Amino acid sequence: MSEKVQSLLDLVAGGVPLHQGGEADIYRVSAKDHAYVLKWYKRASAFDLGTVEQIASLNADGLYKISEFGERDGHSYVVYDYIPGVSASELRVPVVVALFILRSLVATLETLKSKQLHHGDLNPGNIVLTANKGRLQPVLIDCGILGPGALAYAAPERFQGKSADEKSDVYSLGMLLFRLVYGSELVTADNYDEYAAKSLEIDSCDPSQVLYMSGKFSVAEISALAPLWKALLRADAGDRAEDLDELDELLEIAIGKLSVGEAAVQKEVQNFVESVIQEKLRQKVPETSEMALPYEITGRRGKFCWWKVSILLGLVLILIVLAVSVNKSGKSEVDDAGDLVLKKSRSLEILDELSDSVPPEQAGNVADTSLLQDLPTPELRE
Amino acid sequence: MLKRVWKIVLVCLAVCLVACVEDDVRRGNEALRIGDYDRAIVSFSKALDQDPVHRDARYGLALSYFSVAEEGERLHIPTFDLWKRAADEFRILSKIDSGAQVDANHSTCLFYLARAAMAKGESANVLSLLDQSIQLDSANYFSLNLKGLILAGSDDAEDVERAKQIFIHIVTSEPQFISAYVNLGNIYWNEGDVESAWDTWSMGLMKSPSHPALLRWTKIAEDSLKSKVLSGEL
């Protein structure tokens, strides 16, 4: 006997909106004493079902854990474990830490690659920086996007409608690295076409120059990063790093140029975790039990409705009974009695019974009570 | 939450109260329908204790008092106090409902009150009561007829003329109101206008050929006219 599994959406006890975007709205929800994130896609938007299905079956430290996905009320949705961390879009990070983050991401992308999967939308908004026992762990979210993803991070071939692959992810990692260290995007534009055009001209863009002109970076940092720009930010996919392995090596070399050993790197990363990540987490808004969901909870909503409907029906019934009783036993009956009284009182049938004993001379003498008795009167009820 | 509970409790109490009042009104109507006027009065009064502006309860009470007074009329007992009581209820009712049916019954009640006042020898306010009655229902020819009779008995020629106009109005508006022919003919007879008296009574007789008074007095007027013709007066 098969039992229908209840959707997590129907077990939700509370929900808080986190973000409203053009493609989807994000909610933090709690169900079964566990925190989740609900990504509720707009009607016109959806995700690559095959990719999400495979991601849901994976279990990697640097990857979000999908608990449920599907379609409800005409909307696609994904529910994944809530990740207590800070979005990379909220921060600018030291170069060494940025390189460390990128290496972690490359490791996660390698895991995806082993399943013939690619992210396709690598941007700071899809990276959550967590502090796992004091250790920095970037977590990738929102795999399986349809379309080029965040335009400022998309490789030129993605604008031409090609699906995500290792090379396009490599390009996006380059843009992501620049954003992490510099604090804003390398390419800015007003519209899709402009982004597409600028991505094709990325070879003529010199990130090192931009970093140097900002005056915030040491020469060592700029020179350590320079080979990475050449290996990542290239319009032609063939000019980029061969694969994620090669990129990892390049990152390792860059880290080596900036620090004296693994311990020094770890120390700087730990400092970053303690001073930035944990501090940000302490500032996070406390949890609430607010209920603000974009869908109807089937089971509970049903019960609640029945309770409400029952009371409403009861009240309507009482009102109907009252209305009927007012109509039937009240107004109409008393008016019927009034009608009867009026009808009988205005009957002229008895006028013929006027006594003929009153001579004309006395007929006007109203002081005579016998005349009053003979006076035509409204008929009396027998 | 507590506020909502209180609201629900208050709504329930209000519903119960309304239900109780409606139940009393229903009982009053039942009693009125079967002629148990005393019980009807008790039920309607009880409903009015809860809701003094309850239109149906007030109308029911007025009709119950009206019916009790009618019973008194039928038994030929003094009815002034009974009609007074009914008129008081109609007066209060008129502040809640001034529909045509209520006004018409109120008008009839005032006619009887005026008549009872005259029978009691309290004729001071009779004309005022009749005027009220006619104002409430201008088609209440009983009140018009009584007013005409009172004015016709006056020594003032103007009053007699007004009485004549009233009776003419009645026979014109309601040709079946035979008493008005009799009374109008009486005025002409008293004025010595036998011809007009005979015309009026004859018209009444055409409407009610077996009316004893009209038969008798039309015959007397006819004889009088014949004798006048024979004597050369006409």
Side-chain angles (χ1 to χ4, degrees):
Chain A
M1 195 172 76
S2 65
E3 194 178 330
K4 195 181 173 186
V5 179
Q6 194 170 17
S7 167
L8 266 177
L9 298 186
D10 296 323
L11 299 171
V12 167
V16 182
L18 293 178
H19 173 73
Q20 288 195 317
E23 179 201 23
D25 295 336
I26 313 291
Y27 299 84
R28 188 182 66 198
V29 297
S30 56
K32 297 192 287 190
D33 296 328
H34 193 76
Y36 296 93
V37 170
L38 165 66
K39 185 169 185 180
W40 185 261
Y41 287 81
K42 308 280 186 192
R43 280 189 189 273
S45 305
F47 50 80
D48 179 20
L49 187 62
T51 302
V52 170
E53 258 176 347
Q54 289 195 68
I55 297 286
S57 65
L58 285 176
N59 188 9
D61 283 345
L63 196 62
Y64 68 151
K65 291 176 178 57
I66 295 177
S67 299
E68 189 177 309
F69 57 90
E71 198 175 298
R72 177 85 165 249
D73 302 337
H75 292 261
S76 298
Y77 73 91
V78 175
V79 181
Y80 56 89
D81 285 4
Y82 177 72
I83 304 157
V86 179
S87 169
S89 62
E90 297 176 29
L91 306 167
R92 189 172 79 85
V93 301
V95 174
V96 171
V97 177
L99 293 170
F100 178 87
I101 290 169
L102 231 65
R103 284 200 77 187
S104 297
L105 292 176
V106 167
T108 305
L109 290 170
E110 287 277 17
T111 308
L112 292 179
K113 186 184 160 188
S114 68
K115 303 281 180 186
Q116 282 79 48
L117 296 173
H118 307 285
H119 191 279
D121 189 19
L122 291 166
N123 72 76
N126 283 341
I127 294 152
V128 182
L129 302 176
T130 66
N132 186 8
K133 295 175 185 169
R135 188 172 164 272
L136 182 62
Q137 174 63 63
V139 178
L140 262 179
I141 61 171
D142 281 355
C143 298
I145 190 168
L146 295 171
L151 299 179
Y153 300 84
E157 63 270 25
R158 295 283 280 145
F159 289 100
Q160 293 157 13
K162 290 184 181 169
S163 55
D165 59 13
E166 189 176 8
K167 291 278 190 178
S168 68
D169 277 353
V170 163
Y171 179 93
S172 299
L173 283 171
M175 284 297 189
L176 176 66
L177 177 62
F178 185 86
R179 163 64 183 78
L180 288 174
V181 298
Y182 188 67
S184 59
E185 281 135 6
L186 179 64
V187 175
T188 54
D190 293 331
N191 55 54
Y192 184 93
D193 290 340
E194 210 176 319
Y195 271 115
K198 284 191 173 181
S199 72
L200 286 170
E201 294 167 3
I202 197 69
D203 290 359
S204 61
C205 183
D206 186 358
S208 298
Q209 181 73 13
V210 178
L211 297 179
Y212 177 76
M213 293 302 287
S214 72
K216 295 175 186 170
F217 299 90
S218 66
V219 175
E221 286 172 329
I222 293 169
S223 61
L225 290 169
L228 287 167
W229 308 135
K230 286 182 182 168
L232 301 172
L233 300 177
R234 286 286 164 260
D236 188 342
D239 293 341
R240 294 172 207 154
E242 192 66 34
D243 52 25
L244 292 169
D245 272 347
E246 187 186 334
L247 175 56
D248 190 50
E249 281 173 24
L250 291 171
L251 289 168
E252 192 178 3
I253 292 166
I255 290 171
K257 282 182 184 173
L258 291 171
S259 57
V260 280
E262 180 75 11
V265 175
Q266 287 299 338
K267 192 165 191 303
E268 191 155 356
V269 170
Q270 197 164 352
N271 283 342
F272 174 75
V273 168
E274 286 168 4
S275 62
V276 180
I277 303 291
Q278 287 177 344
E279 181 57 31
K280 281 262 185 190
L281 284 174
R282 275 192 286 273
Q283 293 169 7
K284 287 274 179 186
V285 182
E287 288 202 15
T288 71
S289 59
E290 183 184 345
M291 185 63 88
L293 298 171
Y295 62 92
E296 287 186 8
I297 296 175
T298 309
R300 196 179 323 138
R301 187 77 174 214
K303 262 187 191 172
F304 178 68
C305 277
W306 275 115
W307 178 80
K308 253 182 135 177
V309 166
S310 302
I311 289 203
L312 200 67
L313 280 177
L315 282 173
V316 167
L317 201 67
I318 289 171
L319 286 175
I320 288 172
V321 168
L322 278 177
V324 167
S325 92
V326 165
N327 228 359
K328 194 179 167 188
S329 66
K331 188 173 178 181
S332 64
E333 272 196 26
V334 80
D335 284 340
D336 286 349
D339 266 341
L340 192 66
V341 167
L342 186 62
K343 198 175 169 186
K344 294 193 84 176
S345 72
R346 297 302 168 87
S347 167
L348 299 176
E349 286 171 12
I350 60 153
L351 292 180
D352 287 346
E353 294 167 10
L354 183 67
S355 166
D356 63 350
S357 61
V358 186
E361 294 82 359
Q362 293 177 17
N365 185 4
V366 291
D368 184 347
T369 52
S370 66
L371 173 63
L372 281 173
Q373 290 299 322
D374 293 329
L375 193 69
T377 58
E379 186 180 0
L380 300 177
R381 283 191 279 183
E382 294 301 323
Chain B
M1 183 67 184
L2 203 61
K3 264 186 180 178
R4 189 176 290 177
V5 169
W6 271 113
K7 273 182 189 171
I8 291 170
V9 169
L10 285 174
V11 167
C12 289
L13 282 175
V15 168
C16 287
L17 195 65
V18 169
C20 287
V21 170
E22 293 307 326
D23 200 40
D24 285 331
V25 172
R26 185 186 56 76
R27 273 188 268 224
N29 281 322
E30 290 294 317
L32 179 62
R33 189 174 58 79
I34 60 170
D36 186 354
Y37 305 126
D38 290 341
R39 214 171 294 279
I41 288 167
V42 169
S43 293
F44 287 129
S45 299
K46 210 171 155 190
L48 286 170
D49 286 343
Q50 301 289 333
D51 183 6
V53 292
H54 197 291
R55 181 259 185 199
D56 289 352
R58 186 67 68 181
Y59 193 14
L61 185 62
L63 289 175
S64 301
Y65 283 142
F66 188 105
S67 302
V68 171
E70 269 191 335
E71 287 276 305
E73 291 285 344
R74 199 167 57 82
L75 297 170
H76 300 291
I77 60 171
T79 55
F80 178 82
D81 290 339
L82 302 177
W83 286 115
K84 176 79 173 60
R85 200 170 54 167
D88 283 344
E89 289 305 325
F90 273 113
R91 181 178 51 76
I92 298 166
L93 177 63
S94 68
K95 291 180 170 48
I96 304 166
D97 180 7
S98 57
Q101 190 201 71
V102 170
D103 283 351
N105 278 323
H106 188 185
S107 173
T108 302
C109 182
L110 289 174
F111 163 78
Y112 276 114
L113 180 62
R115 186 168 169 266
M118 286 179 69
K120 202 180 173 192
E122 295 178 4
S123 53
N125 295 321
V126 170
L127 273 179
S128 157
L129 287 170
L130 291 172
D131 283 340
Q132 280 182 54
S133 169
I134 295 160
Q135 198 175 359
L136 283 166
D137 181 7
S138 59
N140 187 344
Y141 302 114
F142 301 96
S143 292
L144 281 166
N145 188 51
L146 182 54
K147 183 179 177 181
L149 269 177
I150 292 167
L151 293 173
S154 166
D155 294 331
D156 191 335
E158 276 188 21
D159 284 346
V160 176
E161 186 56 33
R162 282 167 61 201
K164 204 189 288 178
Q165 295 306 317
I166 286 171
F167 293 131
I168 291 169
H169 167 72
I170 295 172
V171 297
T172 310
S173 307
E174 179 48 272
Q176 297 299 326
F177 202 97
I178 305 303
S179 180
Y181 294 99
V182 177
N183 295 327
L184 182 59
N186 286 352
I187 292 176
Y188 290 132
W189 182 266
N190 290 336
E191 287 175 344
D193 186 354
V194 179
E195 205 174 338
S196 294
W198 179 82
D199 280 346
T200 306
W201 285 328
S202 295
M203 275 196 293
L205 205 56
M206 284 169 70
K207 299 291 176 190
S208 181
S210 59
H211 194 282
L214 286 174
L215 280 170
R216 180 181 172 192
W217 295 107
T218 304
K219 178 77 173 57
I220 290 170
E222 200 174 313
D223 290 345
S224 177
L225 284 172
K226 279 178 186 172
S227 77
K228 281 189 178 185
V229 168
L230 290 172
S231 65
E233 285 181 46
L234 281 175

